[in-house]
Amino acid sequence: MRVRDLDETALLARIFPLLPVGEGVDVGPGDDAAVVRAADGRFVVTTDVLVEGRHFRREWSGGYDVGYRAAVQNLADVAAMGARATSMVVSLVMPADLPVQWVTDLARGLADASGPATVVGGDLSGGDAVVVSVTVHGDLAGRAPVLRSGARPGDVVAHAGVLGASAAGFDLLTSGAATPDDGAPGAATSRTPYVAAYLRPEAPLEAGPAAALAGATAMLDVSDGLLRDAGRLARASGVDVDLAEGALMRDVTALVPAAVEVAVATEDPDGADRARTWVLSGGEDHGLLATFPAEVADRGLPNGFRLVGDVRAPADDAPRVLLNGEVPHVATGWDHFRP
Amino acid sequence: MRVRDLDETALLARIFPLLPVGEGVDVGPGDDAAVVRAADGRFVVTTDVLVEGRHFRREWSGGYDVGYRAAVQNLADVAAMGARATSMVVSLVMPADLPVQWVTDLARGLADASGPATVVGGDLSGGDAVVVSVTVHGDLAGRAPVLRSGARPGDVVAHAGVLGASAAGFDLLTSGAATPDDGAPGAATSRTPYVAAYLRPEAPLEAGPAAALAGATAMLDVSDGLLRDAGRLARASGVDVDLAEGALMRDVTALVPAAVEVAVATEDPDGADRARTWVLSGGEDHGLLATFPAEVADRGLPNGFRLVGDVRAPADDAPRVLLNGEVPHVATGWDHFRP
């Protein structure tokens, strides 16, 4: 059955049962708007859009994958403020020949990725390509939000989550060294971990509030590559962020076999370099980069974080990211916007 | 200059200055997420998407029009809960050859339509067609939300805003009886009022909280046509909603000249019928349909509302909308989703 075979009401009737309504929701989907509780008198909000042919390909990603990823990239932004997600709204543009199963899979992916942050509203429209726009709300539980701008010289830099796994998966697929399985929800997957990391990224969502409680001075979601996002934190805080390449060696080493697979498939013999580039510049892993006062590191970083560098007074009036004290000479990341 | 000539950072640098940050915003755009105040410990949220070629044509609608309309259709949903809008987030998908001016016009349109409800975050992406997804948040100021489900037999039915004007404008454009002007922001317009109503609808936003304060029992935004939306209210409340055609005669009469223009342009001689259909079934006027206890009507309806019918116990187990007591025999409205 295709989307064109149902009207909006009938399609929504298939989607709503897949989306449980959470506890903090006074009015869920179905009225003009939802009403969500915000116990501490504030809410966190962020939005991200996924576009078919730009952020995903339907021959690689099933509906479940796209729903899961659309949720995670927003949930990571909420976590990066030190908040817990409470609710989301979703707008979905889709071609008339899209299978209804793809849409219900998307709803399942959203629900599974989001846990207690339930879907409270949405909008459906026809269009030539699939576009999924998700807005997620979060709760700070009375805490101050952790901004990008709070890093101070003397702080340590720490990272939670994976680095380079999503970029490795993308290159494995692009080079033909790996193929996605059918991506059915709940099915045992034959995907390599890197392909899985690209199609259904896992973000360390609990590490966000944990970092806030531990006294993180700055934090952001690493979505566009470690160097690029660390540079953003550096500029917002007016500091130099010096990353220690040795601290990232474990990630590079783990990725070398995948990089060799890509090198063989593409007949391009730079396996080790590619693994390093994935770690330093690969996007969409949705880990968290945070800074903490040195005494927090002395006591022990929150669960999931490990030291990757330190914060210094800027060497000049251009705060920047450094690698082992030097300006890095690698591609600095991904611009989602350019064609 | 085209969108492809700028990277995301440079494009955002042109957009942000056009979007003032409001008073209730603790953290505005530029971090992973925004933080917005919700003084009464709840927030209202709704989302709507506009798709080029589906909801608008770029040869008719300038960027300002699209931004204005994207904001208004969401603001009307917030008003229909009895709330005042506080903030919004926007995701924008756009082709690389879109003029940068179109994007900055869109930002101006959003800002002008939204007043104090400022843009607190967003996302930009490339894509083949323009897609604008807006999520608006609102504040109930401690009041209960006005749902669709609260109408009771004996209540009166009232409407605020215009009926049929947007549909008239659409048909005037489609038939070639009218042409849009260039739609430049702030420019004196040569558009007929109906073309303006289609391209930049005005919703009676203040009437929403006013209705809530006056004791409205149910309310919704009339976005898909009076009969269709009244039918939704009827079913949600489990009542019959009986609309009095005489009360709508003023709207029909006012639209007859435009209907005649369309009849002449299309050589289809049903001018008066077309005006009636616009009023009863035309979408996207974004007026508010509300029900009030009869004693509220006796004291005087809130500003902007006029009586258009009454609420009755359902005649059978299928609550429905009636017109002068009969099941109406006209097209009942617009399904946004079907191609």
Side-chain angles (χ1 to χ4, degrees):
Chain A
M1 188 184 297
R2 306 279 165 170
V3 161
R4 73 159 69 85
D5 301 319
L6 297 175
D7 65 11
E8 184 167 358
T9 305
L11 190 57
L12 288 172
R14 286 163 185 257
I15 295 173
F16 280 152
L18 306 172
L19 301 170
V21 175
E23 283 194 4
V25 180
D26 287 346
V27 178
D31 216 294
D32 290 80
V35 182
V36 179
R37 271 173 253 163
D40 75 350
R42 303 170 300 170
F43 62 93
V44 170
V45 58
T46 184
T47 195
D48 262 314
V49 63
L50 288 179
V51 180
E52 179 182 359
R54 181 76 47 151
H55 302 96
F56 66 90
R57 306 181 191 181
R58 264 197 278 155
E59 63 268 31
W60 288 351
S61 294
Y64 186 93
D65 297 321
V66 174
Y68 200 96
R69 185 168 154 203
V72 165
Q73 65 179 11
N74 281 283
L75 294 165
D77 282 327
V78 166
M81 302 299 280
R84 280 199 176 78
T86 56
S87 64
M88 61 178 65
V89 296
V90 181
S91 70
L92 175 60
V93 178
M94 54 201 155
D97 66 353
L98 190 69
V100 170
Q101 178 77 40
W102 200 96
V103 181
T104 53
D105 283 351
L106 182 135
R108 288 188 185 94
L110 280 169
D112 285 355
S114 305
T118 57
V119 176
V120 299
D123 192 24
L124 303 178
S125 172
D128 291 336
V130 177
V131 177
V132 188
S133 181
V134 175
T135 300
V136 175
H137 307 99
D139 175 26
L140 286 162
R143 294 184 296 272
V146 183
L147 306 182
R148 299 177 175 191
S149 53
R152 295 293 169 258
D155 286 353
V156 300
V157 182
H159 181 267
V162 299
L163 285 167
S166 177
F170 179 78
D171 280 359
L172 284 165
L173 288 171
T174 309
S175 67
T179 52
D181 63 14
D182 68 359
T189 180
S190 60
R191 291 172 176 169
T192 79
Y194 302 124
V195 170
Y198 169 64
L199 296 177
R200 292 184 202 168
E202 297 286 350
L205 301 176
E206 278 304 310
L213 283 167
T217 51
M219 185 156 53
L220 50 51
D221 162 40
V222 181
S223 55
D224 295 338
L226 178 63
L227 290 178
R228 178 182 282 249
D229 285 317
R232 289 175 171 149
L233 189 151
R235 288 191 299 278
S237 295
V239 297
D240 281 355
V241 168
D242 189 15
L243 299 173
E245 188 152 7
L248 308 171
M249 191 52 64
R250 187 189 69 192
D251 307 77
V252 174
T253 304
L255 287 168
V256 166
V260 170
E261 285 185 63
V262 173
V264 170
T266 58
E267 300 180 10
D268 180 4
D270 62 350
D273 273 12
R274 183 174 279 112
R276 180 173 178 265
T277 302
W278 286 338
V279 169
L280 294 174
S281 308
E284 310 201 333
D285 286 314
H286 299 296
L288 297 174
L289 189 71
T291 58
F292 296 91
E295 55 268 29
V296 172
D298 294 342
R299 287 198 307 266
L301 291 170
N303 265 349
F305 281 95
R306 59 180 170 139
L307 277 178
V308 295
D310 50 41
V311 178
R312 301 185 184 171
D316 53 33
D317 58 0
R320 58 170 65 89
V321 61
L322 303 169
L323 193 59
N324 291 345
E326 306 283 338
V327 175
H329 294 289
V330 293
T332 53
W334 171 251
D335 189 325
H336 283 281
F337 175 61
R338 285 251 172 109
Chain B
M1 187 183 299
R2 306 279 166 171
V3 161
R4 73 159 69 85
D5 301 320
L6 297 175
D7 65 12
E8 184 168 357
T9 305
L11 189 57
L12 288 172
R14 286 164 185 256
I15 294 173
F16 280 151
L18 307 172
L19 301 170
V21 174
E23 284 194 2
V25 180
D26 287 345
V27 178
D31 217 293
D32 290 82
V35 182
V36 179
R37 271 174 252 163
D40 74 352
R42 302 171 300 169
F43 62 93
V44 170
V45 57
T46 184
T47 195
D48 263 314
V49 63
L50 288 179
V51 180
E52 179 182 0
R54 181 75 48 150
H55 303 96
F56 67 90
R57 305 180 190 183
R58 264 196 278 155
E59 64 267 30
W60 288 350
S61 294
Y64 187 93
D65 297 320
V66 173
Y68 201 95
R69 185 168 155 204
V72 165
Q73 65 179 13
N74 281 284
L75 294 165
D77 282 327
V78 166
M81 302 298 280
R84 280 200 174 78
T86 57
S87 64
M88 62 177 65
V89 295
V90 182
S91 70
L92 176 60
V93 178
M94 54 200 155
D97 66 352
L98 190 69
V100 170
Q101 178 77 41
W102 201 96
V103 181
T104 53
D105 283 350
L106 182 135
R108 288 187 184 94
L110 280 170
D112 286 353
S114 306
T118 56
V119 176
V120 299
D123 192 24
L124 302 178
S125 172
D128 291 337
V130 177
V131 177
V132 188
S133 180
V134 174
T135 300
V136 174
H137 308 99
D139 175 25
L140 286 162
R143 294 185 296 272
V146 184
L147 307 182
R148 299 177 175 190
S149 52
R152 295 292 169 259
D155 286 354
V156 301
V157 182
H159 181 267
V162 298
L163 285 167
S166 177
F170 178 78
D171 280 359
L172 284 165
L173 289 170
T174 309
S175 67
T179 52
D181 62 15
D182 68 359
T189 180
S190 60
R191 290 171 176 170
T192 80
Y194 302 124
V195 169
Y198 169 64
L199 297 176
R200 292 184 202 170
E202 297 286 350
L205 300 176
E206 278 303 311
L213 283 166
T217 51
M219 185 155 52
L220 49 52
D221 161 41
V222 181
S223 54
D224 295 338
L226 178 62
L227 291 178
R228 179 182 280 250
D229 285 316
R232 289 176 171 148
L233 189 150
R235 288 191 299 278
S237 295
V239 298
D240 281 354
V241 168
D242 189 14
L243 299 174
E245 188 151 5
L248 308 171
M249 192 52 66
R250 188 190 69 191
D251 307 76
V252 175
T253 304
L255 287 168
V256 165
V260 170
E261 284 185 63
V262 173
V264 170
T266 58
E267 300 180 10
D268 179 6
D270 63 349
D273 272 13
R274 183 174 279 112
R276 180 172 178 266
T277 302
W278 286 339
V279 169
L280 294 175
S281 307
E284 309 201 333
D285 285 315
H286 299 297
L288 296 174
L289 189 71
T291 58
F292 296 91
E295 56 267 30
V296 172
D298 294 343
R299 287 198 307 266
L301 291 170
N303 265 349
F305 281 95
R306 60 181 169 136
L307 278 179
V308 294
D310 50 40
V311 178
R312 301 184 185 172
D316 53 34
D317 58 0
R320 58 169 64 89
V321 61
L322 303 169
L323 194 59
N324 291 346
E326 307 282 338
V327 175
H329 294 289
V330 293
T332 53
W334 170 252
D335 188 326
H336 282 283
F337 175 59
R338 284 250 173 109

